[in-house]
Amino acid sequence: MPYPTALSRKVRTDLIKFTDILRANGYNWDVMGLNPLFTPDKKLSLLQIKEHWRRFLTARHPGGPAKNHIYFQLYIPFCRSKCSYCHYRSIMPIPAKGEIDAYIEHLLWAFKFFSPVFKGKSFSRLYIGGGTANLLSSLQLEKLLGGLFKNFSFSANGRKTFQHNPNTASFSNFRVLRKFGFNSLSFGVQSIHPSVLRLNNRYYQDGGSALQAIARAKEAGFDDINVDLIAGLAGDDIDGFKKSFSRLIKLLPYNITVHGLIPDVDYLAEKLKMDSRRYFTRHYPGLIKKLLPFMLDLSARSGYLPDSSDPFRWQWDFRSNKQLSIGPGPECEVDDEYFDCVFGLGLFSKSYIPKVMEYRQVSLPANNDPSGKVYAARRYAAKEAMVRFVVGKFARENKISMQEFTRIFGMKLEEAFPYALRALEFLEAVSRENEFYVFNFNKPEHRYLYALFFSYEQQQPGKKTGHSFLK
């Protein structure tokens, strides 16, 4: 079917503009870095955040039962040192015991402050991480969890995960976690090679301690164990990564998550000795092209199922084919609407209220004053929530369910983004298969460029969120 000249001209002009945006972003095609439609940060207080949750939980949600699937995330911000590749915020070095105790007391206060809003609600998942969450002693951990479970309810068979640095994993902490019903552990191993770890400022960990921690966790009764590895670390090579993956899969964790390294400019210059264009357009795609077939083959022979064989991604999960009696796994097998419903507590924690806003805690309130504006929040207009949904889908797969989009947002995808879909049809980058729009990502950067058509879509859906933003 011929396309109007005006459409073809606009699409080509936009594609040039979007390529310039990619270039200005250092050729980093991580689609989750796209955030062009969000409104500027507004500072909100604990009282205002509490009221937003009250409104959301008491409102009707015709698009789906999102308020019945809330993910609780608790952030412990302390670290021994900053790993060279890490983008997460943390406090270093580890403060004195009294300061950690004071932080725990703040969290216990926050539990009591927010708990009335969630009365009668059961969180579907719990995740405690950081930072380095297992820097807490067993006594500190027991006190923290005692207050948490006293004030909030959690699904009996839902996943309760605790993030561990393998070097400081202990039986005493494992016992406390089991006492409070934790059924999942996640170990940030990253590499088993001491030289690689030292080069990346992870000097306190060695390969042996990681392997021992996983074995001890199994002895403590945990069978849902996730292990994180990073592909592309400075000092590592193809053979080195293969050895890490092979050693870990022999321990039979429930899941292995492989993250592609997304370096910043300083890491590229100081550790990898290359510029961003070389890394994102040649080095990383070439690395994954060599590593992914090996991981797919070994995981299949070891009884693991990959979530994808797509080489143009930044994360892959390899899950054991054994069955567990708990909820969704590390990649969160729930609708994006549910995944976006996150209640976070703790310094640097992030939260998402579906179709309303996202916010993060940037400081602690003085003397636990609830009027203190310690949150930076970004509002979701209806369009922004839709863009977030599309970008989230692009990050993990190459298709979007038309039925799912309509159920969540109350309108069709082609009504919300008529130009974006028409433009991608012109580029022969999208097709319809049954109830899905299927996108053709033939190059790594296509995810990023095609997502920009949705981000910059000018058509406004004219549908309100039904939830005003508190000033």
Side-chain angles (χ1 to χ4, degrees):
M1 181 178 66
Y3 290 89
T5 303
L7 174 68
S8 62
R9 186 183 299 116
K10 177 170 173 51
V11 171
R12 291 191 177 96
T13 300
D14 284 345
L15 197 57
I16 293 172
K17 176 174 66 176
F18 298 159
T19 303
D20 288 341
I21 292 173
L22 176 64
R23 186 182 299 113
N25 194 42
Y27 296 91
N28 180 352
W29 43 269
D30 174 22
V31 70
M32 293 306 289
L34 286 173
N35 225 4
L37 286 179
F38 287 137
T39 52
D41 285 352
K42 289 182 66 106
K43 289 295 184 68
L44 298 180
S45 69
L46 285 96
L47 287 168
Q48 290 170 310
I49 292 295
K50 185 177 182 179
E51 175 61 14
H52 274 298
W53 277 107
R54 186 197 66 77
R55 291 187 186 185
F56 172 75
L57 292 169
T58 56
R60 293 180 66 251
H61 297 276
K67 61 184 178 181
N68 294 327
H69 294 264
I70 309 174
Y71 176 14
F72 194 116
Q73 192 172 67
L74 191 60
Y75 202 89
I76 310 297
F78 312 114
C79 276
R80 291 181 183 277
S81 63
K82 187 75 168 180
C83 298
S84 304
Y85 52 81
C86 184
H87 302 297
Y88 294 99
R89 299 187 66 182
S90 56
I91 295 174
M92 299 156 298
I94 304 170
K97 178 180 179 297
E99 294 179 62
I100 297 179
D101 287 339
Y103 182 74
I104 293 174
E105 289 298 329
H106 162 69
L107 290 178
L108 294 174
W109 173 85
F111 296 161
K112 294 178 181 177
F113 178 78
F114 282 105
S115 63
V117 176
F118 294 94
K119 186 177 181 180
K121 304 294 180 184
S122 182
F123 288 91
S124 57
R125 296 182 64 199
L126 170 61
Y127 178 85
I128 300 180
T132 308
N134 63 308
L135 285 175
L136 302 184
S137 69
S138 56
L139 291 177
Q140 290 171 326
L141 182 60
E142 181 148 14
K143 183 175 183 180
L144 177 68
L145 295 181
L148 176 65
F149 283 85
K150 180 180 179 181
N151 286 280
F152 299 100
S153 298
F154 298 89
S155 173
N157 68 338
R159 179 169 263 103
K160 300 175 183 68
T161 303
F162 196 90
Q163 177 199 358
H164 267 73
N165 180 299
N167 202 57
T168 49
S170 69
F171 267 120
S172 57
N173 275 9
F174 288 160
R175 284 195 293 268
V176 174
L177 293 172
R178 296 295 288 173
K179 173 182 174 181
F180 285 95
F182 277 77
N183 47 29
S184 174
L185 297 177
S186 183
F187 289 100
V189 175
Q190 321 312 0
S191 172
I192 66 167
H193 304 295
S195 60
V196 175
L197 295 166
R198 286 195 299 271
L199 183 60
N200 288 276
N201 205 34
R202 203 173 173 87
Y203 60 86
Y204 50 82
Q205 180 189 321
D206 58 65
S209 64
L211 303 178
Q212 292 168 10
I214 297 168
R216 285 199 299 267
K218 288 193 168 190
E219 291 175 19
F222 289 95
D223 57 0
D224 179 9
I225 298 172
N226 176 67
V227 177
D228 288 331
L229 283 176
I230 298 179
L233 285 174
D236 208 358
D237 56 20
I238 291 174
D239 288 338
F241 180 86
K242 287 181 177 180
K243 289 178 182 177
S244 291
F245 190 86
S246 300
R247 288 282 299 278
L248 289 172
I249 209 167
K250 286 181 180 178
L251 292 175
L252 300 178
Y254 180 58
N255 193 84
I256 298 177
T257 301
V258 175
H259 302 271
L261 175 71
I262 305 178
D264 59 21
V265 174
D266 291 338
Y267 190 95
L268 284 165
E270 297 172 11
K271 301 293 185 180
L272 295 177
K273 311 298 183 184
M274 66 179 72
D275 61 25
S276 59
R277 181 173 188 176
R278 178 184 169 191
Y279 179 83
F280 289 105
T281 62
R282 297 195 298 275
H283 178 81
Y284 178 78
L287 176 71
I288 297 304
K289 185 177 180 180
K290 294 176 180 177
L291 288 180
L292 189 56
F294 167 80
M295 293 190 290
L296 292 171
D297 176 65
L298 181 57
S299 62
R301 290 189 284 111
S302 303
Y304 283 75
L305 303 174
D307 70 332
S308 175
S309 59
D310 182 355
F312 303 146
R313 288 177 55 159
W314 293 101
Q315 178 179 317
W316 298 264
D317 282 289
F318 299 87
R319 174 173 295 184
S320 171
N321 57 18
K322 68 181 180 180
Q323 298 296 314
L324 297 181
S325 59
I326 55 179
E331 81 287 350
C332 194
E333 296 174 338
V334 289
D335 290 343
D336 292 75
E337 171 187 32
Y338 301 159
F339 182 72
D340 277 352
C341 195
V342 180
F343 176 64
L345 281 180
L347 187 60
F348 309 140
S349 65
K350 291 184 178 181
S351 302
Y352 307 92
I353 304 179
K355 308 179 192 177
V356 179
M357 67 173 172
E358 68 173 23
Y359 65 89
R360 65 191 184 279
Q361 186 169 347
V362 296
S363 61
L364 296 176
N367 301 314
N368 289 332
D369 178 7
S371 65
K373 296 197 173 185
V374 299
Y375 294 104
R378 288 177 174 178
R379 176 175 53 188
Y380 284 163
K383 188 64 165 235
E384 292 165 330
M386 295 176 188
V387 170
R388 180 181 174 81
F389 176 90
V390 171
V391 168
K393 287 293 186 184
F394 273 26
R396 295 187 297 279
E397 51 190 328
N398 69 334
K399 61 184 179 181
I400 295 176
S401 164
M402 292 180 271
Q403 293 179 7
E404 182 183 18
F405 187 92
T406 301
R407 177 180 62 80
I408 293 174
F409 297 106
M411 65 187 314
K412 296 179 179 180
L413 185 65
E414 54 267 33
E415 294 173 340
F417 300 102
Y419 168 66
L421 291 171
R422 187 82 166 139
L424 296 184
E425 287 175 353
F426 171 77
L427 295 171
E428 298 183 346
V430 65
S431 59
R432 291 182 63 162
E433 296 181 13
N434 298 320
E435 62 111 359
F436 291 96
Y437 277 103
V438 179
F439 301 89
N440 304 316
F441 303 127
N442 296 319
K443 294 182 179 180
E445 63 269 22
H446 281 173
R447 271 190 167 86
Y448 190 96
L449 296 174
Y450 295 169
L452 281 170
F453 278 102
F454 290 89
S455 296
Y456 282 83
E457 170 73 75
Q458 295 301 309
Q459 170 86 11
Q460 293 298 318
K463 190 159 180 84
K464 305 295 184 182
T465 63
H467 187 124
S468 61
F469 201 60
L470 294 176
K471 303 191 183 211

